[in-house]
Amino acid sequence: MTSTRFLLLVLLALSLPALFAACGGDDDDDNASVSDVDDDDSSDDDADDDTDGADVDDDDDDSVDDDDDTTDDDDTVDDDDTGDDDDTAPAVEYWDVIEAPETDDPEIYESIELNWLEERSLYRDYAAAGQERKRSNLGDFGMGNGRVFALMGLNMPFNTLTEYTGPFYQDKGGKFGDTPLLLHVGNDEIEFGDQWIWRVRKTPMMLTKAVSTDKTLALHTLDYVPRDFDAIIRVVTVQNLTDAPIADVSITTKPVYDDEESPQVVDNHLIQVRGLDSKTVYIGALDDDEPHDVTVNEDDGVRLSWSSLGANVEKTVVIYFWFVRDGDDTTVGDFLAEFTEDSLDDTRKWWSEYLDQGAKLRTPDPKVNDLFEGLQITIANQIDEGSRAVSVMSRYTRAWLRDTYGALTFYLSVGRIEEAKAMLDYIYKYGLKYRTIRNSMPLDEDLGDVTEPENPAEFWSGADFMPGRNKAEAPGYLPLIYAKYYAATGDPALIEQRYEYLKAALTLQDRSPENLITFSGDETFRYPLMVTIPTLKEPHEDYYSANSSLLFVAGAEAMRTLADAVDDAEEVAFWDDLSAEMRQATDDYYWDGDHYAIMADRETLAPWPAPFEDVSTKPVYLDYLAWDDPNAATHVEHYMDQLLLEDGTLLSNRYLGQEKRSIVYDGMVPGLFLDNVAKLDHPSAEAAFNALDITATPSGNYAEVHKADHDIFSLTHAPSGRGAEEVTSRYRPWEGGDNGAALMQYLVGEQLDVNAGKLVVSPHLPNNWPWLDAFDLPAGANEKFDLRLDREGNEYTLTLSTEDDVDLDVEWRVGQDGDWDVDVLEGDGLTVDRVIRRFDRTTAVLTGVTLNDAAPLTLTIAFEPRETK
């Protein structure tokens, strides 16, 4: 989508609030007046990857309720962990949970085999009878297996499947139409009152419940995507809540079709076709022994009927959505013959084992644990099975350079190294096949026969570079992520193979005579920037980008490390010179006394006078400025002074010199800010950490662009799955990855360099937590370690342990508000390397100990009143 069209949509939304409300509300009106929005603004079919925003419900401010479905054994705080024996210890503060009335499950869920359904994430959604809900403040609950993907919770009723696709992820002609499950008595459609939606813990399985307004009937769904089948399975239960029979009860389901198509019935299945016959979904119901009728027709879709539903009786049926690609001769009968009841439990076990493979967090706040788990699932759901690339499945699909960086950073922080490598492999091999480094790539390329070039330097120096975009920005992420991968694994083989590719990612970028770099023209933050500054039309045409320069310098310094890894002294010298040259230009034109400007005028080279919530975080986020650099402190405090709100979020002033705030920000800003203040050990880090919850959707996800009130900036939705599907995009691996990585930076603060044999940890205990546990943190390619932090008053105890063959020098950074001296109470060899006093806070850097498998490290320090002379 072009910048101009986006701004026109924004202006339309602002000037016509009634229409905007319709776009976020009734599905029939979601696409009104915007059907001409184009998904493409470049010659290489890059969908424009930049737009959407979020607002928190009034319910989000409610305290944790006592529902039986909110906690499990792992989340119950042990007496030994809470510090309850200390009557002076401050009470733990918990993230708010959407308040919802207690509600009963159907009997089938309470069976021995399905009792695990009772464990549910505290990221859930609830709509009371008569409550008005807009698409902008609904949750986005996703499920996928790499071939079939679906979202729920984004429509009313909550059980509506939306933006779903299969049996492959790459979008070719749109997604399937929104498909609700409706309830009827006779010919009358039942109006729903109270509605709930939950994610089952340790899975991407969804539960919904809807109760009729007269409280006579309840409709439940259990939805999941099996691991081994190209299908969505809906286990549907209808309950008669009264003491008398109800005659002629039925449920129906039917996708929305657009004006160019008609419903089709094939072999007693309702079908919908997407993408010039490339994808077809068959919708039907499993046969069973229950006395009900199944009919399929063009008017009702799939209808399941009961002539009479007995008093207090429930009936359970299974509806399936089976996906097939054009040319596949597999039949629905083949699918039904292979599908078994074990599919549900097999899928649950797969996800449980998957989550067990990475790092685990256990904190006093179960909602924090749920966010950490849920963001891993968000990314995993969007990993394409064939390519192993991570893809934005809301609206776009494709693999994107910068989006992949967010997912990779988070996955490396939790030790998912092989998955991270697979993401890198696809992007690299695609580049090999087409001799290109580009902004985005389709997911469905066959790359099995690509070979390495005989002369890599010649091959990559002549690559087609960023076609359809300015030659800048996104490729700068490649050296950074490869350097992170090398630091995590210590394996130079991948670097040796791809060194010239990574070099080209920087050297092929266009630089001005002053060594300044433009925008690529596809940065997500461009849209919030243009909305924030209405006089700014096309920054990628009129300004040089500080973000591009910061990426280049950080990438060049990473390349210096990678050149050293391949033992090439000449290349080391090359990168030393180039990074110094580019850093000097960046400092000359963007450093403005006490902060970095976000851009510079192409004609006058004058720096932009105001900070901006995304770009202003990048000097610290990209480690262009070290955490203890005095310039990092002044830069962060400069933008905080102008942008920081009371709720711990950043938002720009809309007009220069005025206090009126912008209406939008991009969805990774909460994580970018938390990353900054966590690294600097700034007192604002706790509020920024809590803002991760404030800005998340009810499902615990983040969108392309959020509104100032933290709802999602939702301009359009196409119920048919074609056209302007979701502007702006929801359920994002980039924003989710960035924010998940920031959560890890704050709670654990791990920086691992296995090549240098060094491990830095800087964990925090927010909200009066007395303890924190992290298990199976990465300590190498296949090595793990555990971490625990305890606090009692002014004493902090860090425990590190491993059972693997590691030998890592440990640096522990720990801080506390106020002016203190620091004493070591326990830990042979532990010394106070230095103490940093800034921001009215004392931060100690402790060194001198080594982590290995000989014995756990137990380190205790105390902050004591400072003795001054």
Side-chain angles (χ1 to χ4, degrees):
M1 182 173 60
T2 63
S3 306
T4 302
R5 286 185 173 179
F6 176 82
L7 288 175
L8 288 174
L9 287 173
V10 172
L11 293 172
L12 181 66
L14 293 174
S15 60
L16 299 175
L19 177 59
F20 184 39
C23 289
D26 294 338
D27 289 334
D28 289 342
D29 296 325
D30 277 353
N31 206 24
S33 302
V34 291
S35 59
D36 62 335
V37 174
D38 189 9
D39 282 345
D40 181 26
D41 67 348
S42 76
S43 60
D44 69 334
D45 294 327
D46 281 352
D48 206 45
D49 177 39
D50 323 357
T51 30
D52 200 322
D55 212 55
V56 177
D57 228 22
D58 289 341
D59 290 339
D60 286 351
D61 294 329
D62 294 319
S63 58
V64 178
D65 64 356
D66 295 325
D67 286 3
D68 292 337
D69 62 359
T70 63
T71 58
D72 61 12
D73 292 341
D74 290 337
D75 293 322
T76 303
V77 179
D78 296 335
D79 291 340
D80 292 342
D81 289 336
T82 61
D84 289 342
D85 293 337
D86 182 1
D87 293 335
T88 63
V92 171
E93 299 173 5
Y94 296 94
W95 282 357
D96 293 337
V97 177
I98 291 178
E99 186 174 287
E102 294 187 30
T103 184
D104 294 330
D105 289 334
E107 293 179 5
I108 189 173
Y109 293 0
E110 299 171 4
S111 65
I112 295 174
E113 295 82 2
L114 296 180
N115 58 3
W116 49 270
L117 293 174
E118 297 175 3
E119 305 300 338
R120 303 171 193 178
S121 170
L122 295 183
Y123 283 97
R124 61 194 187 184
D125 208 352
Y126 167 73
Q131 180 184 6
E132 181 182 355
R133 295 294 298 275
K134 298 182 294 184
R135 196 174 185 85
S136 61
N137 60 33
L138 293 172
D140 28 41
F141 297 80
M143 51 188 174
N145 65 3
R147 304 177 309 277
V148 173
F149 176 83
L151 287 171
M152 295 177 62
L154 273 172
N155 298 68
M156 303 299 288
F158 284 153
N159 67 43
T160 303
L161 296 173
T162 189
E163 290 202 78
Y164 67 99
T165 193
F168 54 90
Y169 272 8
Q170 179 62 31
D171 193 352
K172 291 186 173 180
K175 313 254 187 345
F176 294 98
D178 290 352
T179 308
L181 189 68
L182 304 175
L183 187 59
H184 302 262
V185 173
N187 293 323
D188 297 326
E189 180 183 323
I190 295 300
E191 181 180 352
F192 291 127
D194 289 4
Q195 296 188 52
W196 298 256
I197 183 169
W198 306 267
R199 178 182 66 82
V200 179
R201 280 187 176 136
K202 299 182 180 179
T203 76
M205 296 179 178
M206 307 306 161
L207 301 172
T208 74
K209 179 176 181 178
V211 178
S212 62
T213 53
D214 61 6
K215 301 186 185 303
T216 60
L217 291 167
L219 182 65
H220 303 259
T221 67
L222 160 58
D223 291 89
Y224 70 102
V225 175
R227 293 304 307 173
D228 298 327
F229 298 95
D230 294 337
I232 300 170
I233 304 299
R234 313 204 77 168
V235 182
V236 183
T237 301
V238 183
Q239 287 180 308
N240 180 351
L241 304 177
T242 73
D243 295 328
I246 301 177
D248 198 10
V249 176
S250 63
I251 53 177
T252 64
T253 192
K254 177 184 175 182
V256 173
Y257 294 80
D258 66 21
D259 294 337
E260 299 177 0
E261 59 182 343
S262 300
Q264 301 178 53
V265 176
V266 176
D267 297 331
N268 206 37
H269 287 82
L270 186 67
I271 73 167
Q272 190 171 56
V273 179
R274 283 292 177 263
L276 300 176
D277 300 331
S278 62
K279 298 180 179 182
T280 302
V281 62
Y282 288 76
I283 307 174
L286 290 179
D287 293 329
D288 55 32
D289 297 330
E290 291 286 342
H292 66 269
D293 295 324
V294 179
T295 59
V296 182
N297 60 59
E298 295 180 359
D299 293 329
D300 299 327
V302 177
R303 178 184 287 267
L304 295 89
S305 305
W306 294 266
S307 58
S308 179
L309 198 60
N312 299 303
V313 164
E314 66 179 47
K315 297 291 185 181
T316 299
V317 295
V318 175
I319 297 174
Y320 58 84
F321 297 69
W322 179 66
F323 300 85
V324 63
R325 70 178 67 213
D326 186 37
D328 190 342
D329 58 3
T330 305
T331 67
V332 176
D334 296 331
F335 158 66
L336 294 177
E338 294 181 10
F339 184 79
T340 69
E341 294 180 355
D342 294 334
S343 167
L344 177 64
D345 202 47
D346 288 347
T347 301
R348 176 186 70 89
K349 290 178 180 177
W350 187 94
W351 279 101
S352 181
E353 292 171 0
Y354 175 82
L355 290 168
D356 192 52
Q357 293 165 10
K360 275 76 70 176
L361 279 180
R362 180 171 177 264
T363 77
D365 191 337
K367 197 177 184 193
V368 174
N369 305 338
D370 287 336
L371 180 64
F372 173 73
E373 175 188 279
L375 288 176
Q376 290 185 71
I377 290 173
T378 292
I379 293 174
N381 278 336
Q382 298 180 90
I383 295 176
D384 175 68
E385 181 183 75
S387 66
R388 302 306 298 156
V390 67
S391 175
V392 185
M393 291 307 296
S394 174
R395 185 185 175 206
Y396 294 109
T397 73
R398 302 176 68 89
W400 301 77
L401 281 187
R402 73 177 73 77
D403 298 43
T404 300
Y405 182 79
L408 277 162
T409 302
F410 182 37
Y411 263 30
L412 287 175
S413 76
V414 298
R416 297 193 174 278
I417 292 172
E418 288 305 313
E419 292 166 271
K421 180 179 179 297
M423 296 177 196
L424 293 174
D425 285 348
Y426 182 78
I427 293 172
Y428 173 70
K429 290 179 181 179
Y430 183 94
L432 277 180
K433 182 173 181 177
Y434 293 103
R435 198 181 185 187
T436 186
I437 298 175
R438 63 201 300 126
N439 196 43
S440 75
M441 293 129 277
L443 302 171
D444 55 351
E445 287 288 335
D446 182 0
L447 304 178
D449 58 351
V450 298
T451 58
E452 295 292 329
E454 293 183 5
N455 186 333
E458 179 182 342
F459 179 89
W460 288 111
S461 64
D464 184 20
F465 192 74
M466 289 291 283
R469 303 289 180 187
N470 293 334
K471 300 182 189 306
E473 189 253 337
Y477 285 105
L478 286 171
L480 295 177
I481 201 61
Y482 274 85
K484 287 178 182 287
Y485 177 85
Y486 177 58
T489 64
D491 181 7
L494 202 66
I495 308 306
E496 292 171 354
Q497 179 191 60
R498 303 179 185 181
Y499 181 83
E500 294 295 340
Y501 163 70
L502 299 175
K503 183 177 182 178
L506 295 180
T507 57
L508 293 182
Q509 293 191 38
D510 285 341
R511 289 178 280 154
S512 76
E514 300 84 8
N515 278 326
L516 300 181
I517 309 175
T518 66
F519 292 75
S520 72
D522 190 48
E523 295 90 343
T524 294
F525 66 77
R526 282 168 31 247
Y527 291 128
L529 183 59
M530 288 184 288
V531 173
T532 298
I533 308 167
T535 57
L536 188 66
K537 296 181 179 179
E538 301 289 351
H540 57 285
E541 296 177 1
D542 301 326
Y543 290 85
Y544 291 117
S545 168
N547 179 67
S548 294
S549 288
L550 294 166
L551 272 168
F552 191 103
V553 175
E557 292 174 349
M559 286 301 300
R560 196 266 184 214
T561 300
L562 300 182
D564 190 51
V566 299
D567 197 23
D568 191 326
E570 186 175 337
E571 285 294 304
V572 168
F574 170 80
W575 291 112
D576 279 342
D577 292 343
L578 182 57
S579 61
E581 180 183 0
M582 293 300 293
R583 180 177 279 272
Q584 186 64 55
T586 303
D587 289 349
D588 285 346
Y589 290 98
Y590 294 115
W591 181 251
D592 197 8
D594 58 355
H595 70 280
Y596 283 90
I598 65 169
M599 58 189 179
D601 189 284
R602 282 211 207 181
E603 293 186 3
T604 67
L605 302 181
W608 188 259
F612 175 67
E613 66 267 356
D614 182 298
V615 182
S616 292
T617 64
K618 295 297 178 60
V620 174
Y621 171 74
L622 296 173
D623 296 318
Y624 179 93
L625 294 175
W627 75 278
D628 54 355
D629 187 329
N631 286 349
T634 62
H635 172 78
V636 169
E637 293 225 304
H638 176 271
Y639 75 68
M640 285 174 55
D641 182 60
Q642 299 184 55
L643 306 182
L644 185 62
L645 303 179
E646 291 184 1
D647 64 3
T649 63
L650 302 178
L651 194 63
S652 293
N653 291 335
R654 190 171 182 207
Y655 299 95
L656 292 178
Q658 297 185 23
E659 290 301 317
K660 185 175 181 180
R661 296 283 178 170
S662 178
I663 60 170
V664 293
Y665 61 91
D666 55 78
M668 72 284 296
V669 165
L672 297 178
F673 178 48
L674 177 58
D675 170 271
N676 280 205
V677 287
K679 286 176 177 173
L680 270 60
D681 195 34
H682 194 283
S684 295
E686 181 178 80
F689 168 70
N690 292 329
L692 285 184
D693 178 56
I694 295 171
T695 56
T697 66
S699 58
N701 287 292
Y702 306 89
E704 265 189 301
V705 182
H706 293 237
K707 297 194 299 182
D709 58 6
H710 309 312
D711 271 0
I712 305 306
F713 195 48
S714 184
L715 286 173
T716 71
H717 170 62
S720 70
R722 301 204 281 198
E725 291 176 64
E726 200 72 63
V727 179
T728 61
S729 170
R730 307 289 291 258
Y731 197 78
R732 305 268 296 179
W734 178 16
E735 288 79 354
D738 271 339
N739 295 339
L743 180 146
M744 287 294 288
Q745 177 64 51
Y746 178 66
L747 293 182
V748 176
E750 179 182 0
Q751 297 175 45
L752 173 68
D753 188 343
V754 297
N755 307 292
K758 185 173 182 179
L759 172 67
V760 177
V761 291
S762 53
H764 292 84
L765 294 173
N767 303 329
N768 300 324
W769 293 359
W771 58 271
L772 163 74
D773 275 320
F775 305 101
D776 295 332
L777 295 165
N782 300 296
E783 292 77 29
K784 309 286 186 183
F785 77 99
D786 297 339
L787 175 152
R788 181 180 175 96
L789 182 64
D790 291 277
R791 176 180 181 177
E792 185 173 350
N794 292 338
E795 293 186 6
Y796 294 79
T797 298
L798 176 70
T799 305
L800 303 175
S801 61
T802 182
E803 297 179 355
D804 295 325
D805 184 16
V806 302
D807 189 14
L808 296 169
D809 293 334
V810 174
E811 179 179 307
W812 174 25
R813 302 172 190 166
V814 57
Q816 182 168 286
D817 289 349
D819 189 8
W820 306 90
D821 283 330
V822 182
D823 292 337
V824 174
L825 304 183
E826 182 180 7
D828 291 343
L830 184 68
T831 60
V832 180
D833 182 77
R834 56 193 165 125
V835 175
I836 299 174
R837 293 182 174 90
R838 60 184 183 183
F839 318 128
D840 295 321
R841 185 171 172 88
T842 302
T843 304
V845 180
L846 301 117
T847 59
V849 294
T850 301
L851 174 65
N852 54 46
D853 60 355
L857 284 176
T858 301
L859 315 171
T860 302
I861 64 102
F863 288 92
E864 304 286 357
R866 187 179 181 192
E867 296 182 5
T868 57
K869 295 182 180 180

